[in-house]
Amino acid sequence: MSDKHSMDVSQLRHSQVGEVLLREHLDDSPFGQFEHWFRDACDSPDLDPNAMALATVDDRGRAHNRTVLLKYFDDYGFVFYTNYASKKAVQIEATSNVALLFFWRDLG
């Protein structure tokens, strides 16, 4: 790999100090806990707290990541809208192994 284009970004990390995460402070239900955190995100200055990174894999095991918007959630899962013919829908149909990431930096 050529280092014709390189940039040292190692000093960009800003320390995030949030509340200590203790098991006894968490909701017994993962979705109940998510609801608490989501409400906090909605009350924070974050833009688009329902924006989430969705990672899927294709039939060759290559990862694909994109941002989608959460529309609804309950004890059965998370709902977002997509075209059933889209790459992400095809990949989810082939394997339901996906990952979601909500990046709420202001919440630590």
Side-chain angles (χ1 to χ4, degrees):
M1 185 168 131
S2 167
D3 43 7
K4 180 179 175 184
H5 301 285
S6 65
M7 181 184 294
D8 180 1
V9 296
S10 61
Q11 301 303 312
L12 290 178
R13 174 73 172 123
H14 298 282
S15 179
Q16 293 291 322
V17 179
E19 294 182 27
V20 175
L21 186 62
L22 300 173
R23 179 68 188 119
E24 58 265 20
H25 296 156
L26 297 176
D27 194 294
D28 290 336
S29 161
F31 290 103
Q33 185 59 52
F34 177 80
E35 182 175 353
H36 294 300
W37 286 336
F38 190 79
R39 289 182 189 280
D40 288 346
C42 288
D43 292 339
S44 79
D46 282 342
L47 299 176
D48 299 323
N50 61 325
M52 58 187 186
L54 168 68
T56 59
V57 293
D58 64 20
D59 57 352
R60 296 189 343 190
R62 294 176 300 187
H64 297 262
N65 198 14
R66 77 283 284 159
T67 302
V68 298
L69 296 177
L70 177 67
K71 298 296 183 184
Y72 179 83
F73 69 92
D74 60 18
D75 289 337
Y76 297 102
F78 298 92
V79 175
F80 63 93
Y81 299 156
T82 190
N83 179 322
Y84 284 117
S86 70
K87 269 189 194 177
K88 65 182 157 294
V90 170
Q91 291 166 354
I92 292 169
E93 182 69 27
T95 175
S96 58
N97 294 325
V98 303
L100 297 177
L101 171 69
F102 292 85
F103 181 64
W104 299 324
R105 185 189 68 171
D106 291 349
L107 299 182

